[in-house]
Amino acid sequence: MSARTWPSSPLSAAGRAFTLLVAPPTHVGFDARGFDGLPDEILPLERLRGLLLTPQTSVEVRDAVWRELVIRARRDGPAWVVAAVGIALPGLRHLAGLLASGWRGDTRDLDAELLVGFVERLTTIDLEPPRVVGRLLDAGLRAARKARDADSDAPLVRTDATGPIAPVQPWDHPDLVLARAVAAGVIDADEANLIAATRLENDTLAQAAVRLGITASLASSWRLKAERRLLEAIRAGDLAFVPLRRRRSDEARRRVAATHQRVAVIQSA
C-alpha cells in the first residue's frame, strides 16, 4: 500500500491495518472452542468483534476472550497487537470523540496518544481482575488526557482570595496533579509512578515494587510518605499554579508518525 493511500489518522490507520489483517487469505483467527457463549469454531476476527459487542455476550465471556487476546499480543507478535487494537477500535473511537470535544488542536495527536497508551498497557496489564478491555481503554484515555491537558492553552482562573486554591479544570486530572507535584519537587518521579500505578491503574504494591526494584514493604512506606506530602501541598495550594513545560508540536508529530510507521510495519509483516 502506498503512503498516499495510507490514512493520516492513527485510529484510521489502525482500522486499515486490521482490515488488511482479516482480509482473505488470512491465517489469523480466534479459536473460540471452549469459550461458553461463543460458537465452537475458529472465528474470523471481525466476527469475534461483532459478537463481543452484542448484549447477549456476557461480561465473563468478554473478559475471558480479552485475557486470551492480551496473551496472544504478548506471545505471538505484532499481528495480534493489531488484532487487539482492531477489536477494541469501537471503544477507542468512542473515547477519541469524547477527547476531541472542545479541543482546538489537531485531534490526530490525541488519537496517537490514546492508541499508544492502549498498546503499551497490553504489555503490563494484570489479567486477574475483571474489566480487562475496560482497563486497557482507561490507560489509553489517561495517556491522551495527560497529553491534552499538558498542551492545553486554557487560562488559569486567578482570584484575589487568600488561602489554598484548588487547581481548576482541566488541571485537576490526577495525572496532572502528580506531574505538577513532581515539577514542584513535592514528590519525585518514582513516587509519582508508584502512586499512579497503585491508585489509578489498580496495580498491587507488589507489582509496582518489582518495576521499581524495591520490596513491597518499602513501596508501601514510600507511597504513604509521598501521599502525605502531596496532601499537604494540595491543602496549602502549592500546586495551583505550577507550570508544566508545554509539549513541543514537533514531538507530538513525531509520536503520530511513529504510530503510523509501527502499524505499517505490522501490516507488512
Side-chain angles (χ1 to χ4, degrees):
M1 178 175 293
S2 69
R4 179 177 300 178
T5 59
W6 192 256
S8 61
S9 163
L11 290 181
S12 295
R16 180 71 61 83
F18 181 75
T19 298
L20 293 172
L21 180 69
V22 302
T26 179
H27 63 284
V28 180
F30 184 87
D31 189 351
R33 293 172 293 187
F35 288 85
D36 292 338
L38 293 181
D40 192 30
E41 60 185 280
I42 296 178
L43 296 175
L45 294 180
E46 67 271 35
R47 185 181 175 198
L48 175 66
R49 180 170 67 183
L51 289 171
L52 293 180
L53 291 173
T54 62
Q56 289 77 20
T57 301
S58 69
V59 173
E60 292 76 17
V61 171
R62 290 193 189 98
D63 270 341
V65 169
W66 268 100
R67 289 186 181 99
E68 180 65 19
L69 288 171
V70 172
I71 291 171
R72 288 292 190 92
R74 293 174 180 175
R75 184 189 67 197
D76 297 339
W80 281 96
V81 176
V82 171
V85 171
I87 292 171
L89 203 54
L92 289 166
R93 291 193 184 280
H94 174 70
L95 293 179
L98 296 178
L99 288 163
S101 178
W103 175 248
R104 291 175 291 179
D106 192 335
T107 57
R108 291 176 298 178
D109 297 345
L110 299 182
D111 291 351
E113 298 289 351
L114 177 66
L115 183 56
V116 170
F118 179 94
V119 170
E120 288 179 347
R121 190 63 173 140
L122 279 173
T123 64
T124 62
I125 191 169
D126 183 355
L127 297 180
E128 288 298 324
R131 291 188 65 252
V132 177
V133 68
R135 289 183 287 126
L136 288 168
L137 293 170
D138 288 346
L141 180 61
R142 281 195 297 272
R145 277 179 171 169
K146 187 173 182 179
R148 183 193 64 185
D149 294 347
D151 278 349
S152 175
D153 59 358
L156 294 174
V157 178
R158 300 178 183 271
T159 72
D160 295 329
T162 58
I165 303 173
V168 297
Q169 292 286 355
W171 310 104
D172 59 351
H173 184 273
D175 284 330
L176 267 294
V177 173
L178 292 175
R180 288 177 177 274
V182 172
V186 175
I187 58 178
D188 64 25
D190 283 341
E191 291 168 333
N193 288 333
L194 176 61
I195 293 171
T198 57
R199 298 302 193 192
L200 304 179
E201 300 180 11
N202 297 319
D203 282 1
T204 66
L205 276 169
Q207 291 168 331
V210 169
R211 289 196 293 272
L212 290 171
I214 60 177
T215 64
S217 60
L218 182 57
S220 177
S221 176
W222 277 16
R223 186 179 68 177
L224 177 62
K225 293 176 181 178
E227 288 179 338
R228 285 175 176 170
R229 295 196 303 273
L230 184 61
L231 178 61
E232 288 300 319
I234 292 172
R235 285 175 172 170
D238 293 340
L239 304 184
F241 304 121
V242 178
L244 291 176
R245 180 179 62 85
R246 291 176 59 87
R247 288 159 44 90
R248 297 180 301 175
S249 60
D250 59 341
E251 179 187 350
R253 297 296 183 187
R254 177 185 61 77
R255 295 195 66 161
V256 172
T259 302
H260 290 171
Q261 184 179 19
R262 184 181 304 174
V263 174
V265 169
I266 291 171
Q267 179 271 323
S268 63

